[in-house]
Amino acid sequence: MLHSLSENIAVFLFDNNDRFPLDVYTYGIEICLSSLIGIMLILSIGLISGYFLEGLFYIITLFAIRSYTGGYHADTYFKCNLIYVFSYLFAIGLNILFSSLNSAFRIFIYLIIVITSIIVVCMFAPIENKNKTIDENSKNKFKIISIIAIILVSVTSLLLSYLLHFYQVLIVFPSVFVVEISVLVEKILLKRRRVKN
C-alpha cells in the first residue's frame, strides 16, 4: 500500500525527463511517508499518555544521532514503525525508572550510558546497509559527528534539567541507549549474515 501510494505521488510529481529514474523518487517518497507515519505514531502516543515532550525529544535524539551511526533496519516499513514505537515505549519505561532513582545514582547511570555509547560508536559505527554505502572518509567523519552529537545532547539535557528543572529532556539518555542497542543488534545480524553466506 505504501509503495503504490509513493509510486502514484512520484508519477504525479516527476517524469522520465527528471534527473533520476522514477524508482529513485518512489523509494525516497516511501521513506519519507514511513518516517512521517512513525513520527505521528510516537507523537500521538506521547499526547495520549502525557509524554508528548518526551516523544518529541526522543525523535530529535534518534534522528540527530542515528543518522550518523546507522543501526538496525527492519525489512518492512510496518516492522520498522512497530520497532520504532516499542523502542519509544522502552525509552519511556527506562526514563520513569531512572527518575525514581536518587540523583547521584541517576547521574552515574547517565554517565555509563554515554560512555558505553561512545565505545559502541568508536568500535562499530557507522553501520552500512544495502541502501546506504559509506566511503572510508565519510565513516571517520560520521563516527566523530556521532560522538559529538551524543556528548552534546547529553550535556544539554543535563543542563536543561538541573538548571531549568525541565526534566522531560532527560529522555535523551534512554534514547541514546536505544541507538546503542540498535547499532549492536545490526552489527550482530551483519555477522550472522556473513557466516551464512
Side-chain angles (χ1 to χ4, degrees), residues 109-173:
I109 295 290
Y110 293 160
L111 190 61
I112 294 295
I113 289 172
V114 171
I115 291 168
T116 57
S117 295
I118 290 170
I119 291 168
V120 166
V121 166
C122 286
M123 290 175 70
F124 305 118
I127 300 279
E128 290 182 298
N129 70 53
K130 62 181 179 182
N131 299 315
K132 185 181 176 183
T133 56
I134 308 166
D135 63 71
E136 210 54 47
N137 287 338
S138 295
K139 280 183 182 180
N140 291 330
K141 186 172 85 175
F142 286 3
K143 195 180 292 280
I144 291 164
I145 292 170
S146 301
I147 293 166
I148 291 169
I150 289 167
I151 293 168
L152 198 61
V153 297
S154 301
V155 170
T156 304
S157 65
L158 280 177
L159 288 173
L160 286 171
S161 65
Y162 287 99
L163 295 177
L164 302 177
H165 305 291
F166 188 46
Y167 299 112
Q168 291 90 339
V169 80
L170 291 174
I171 190 73
V172 159
F173 292 98

Side-chain angles (χ1 to χ4, degrees), residues 91 93-117 150 154 158 162 170 172-177 180:
L94 278 181
N95 201 42
I96 292 167
L97 175 68
F98 294 160
S99 66
S100 69
L101 303 172
N102 73 56
S103 186
F105 191 60
R106 188 169 51 234
I107 295 287
F108 175 72
I109 295 290
Y110 293 160
L111 190 61
I112 294 295
I113 289 172
V114 171
I115 291 168
T116 57
S117 295
I150 289 167
S154 301
L158 280 177
Y162 287 99
L170 291 174
V172 159
F173 292 98
S175 305
V176 167
F177 186 61
E180 180 184 337

Side-chain angles (χ1 to χ4, degrees), residues 38 65 75 77 79 85 112 120 122 126 147 164 184:
I65 299 170
D75 52 2
Y77 294 116
K79 279 185 192 173
V85 166
I112 294 295
V120 166
C122 286
I147 293 166
L164 302 177
L184 288 171

Side-chain angles (χ1 to χ4, degrees), residues 5-117:
L5 176 62
S6 302
E7 212 167 36
N8 290 336
I9 293 169
V11 167
F12 178 75
L13 294 175
F14 307 100
D15 59 37
N16 292 330
N17 298 325
D18 283 303
R19 186 174 172 191
F20 299 105
L22 215 53
D23 289 351
V24 173
Y25 294 112
T26 301
Y27 178 68
I29 292 166
E30 266 184 73
I31 290 174
C32 288
L33 288 176
S34 177
S35 297
L36 188 62
I37 290 166
I39 288 167
M40 297 311 293
L41 283 169
I42 298 291
L43 293 179
S44 299
I45 292 168
L47 197 61
I48 292 164
S49 63
Y51 292 103
F52 179 79
L53 285 174
E54 286 87 347
L56 193 60
F57 290 123
Y58 175 80
I59 292 165
I60 291 167
T61 304
L62 245 61
F63 279 114
I65 299 170
R66 200 166 183 272
S67 303
Y68 296 101
T69 62
Y72 175 73
H73 281 277
D75 52 2
T76 67
Y77 294 116
F78 176 75
K79 279 185 192 173
C80 179
N81 283 317
L82 193 65
I83 290 166
Y84 191 39
V85 166
F86 278 111
S87 66
Y88 166 66
L89 295 173
F90 174 70
I92 287 292
L94 278 181
N95 201 42
I96 292 167
L97 175 68
F98 294 160
S99 66
S100 69
L101 303 172
N102 73 56
S103 186
F105 191 60
R106 188 169 51 234
I107 295 287
F108 175 72
I109 295 290
Y110 293 160
L111 190 61
I112 294 295
I113 289 172
V114 171
I115 291 168
T116 57
S117 295

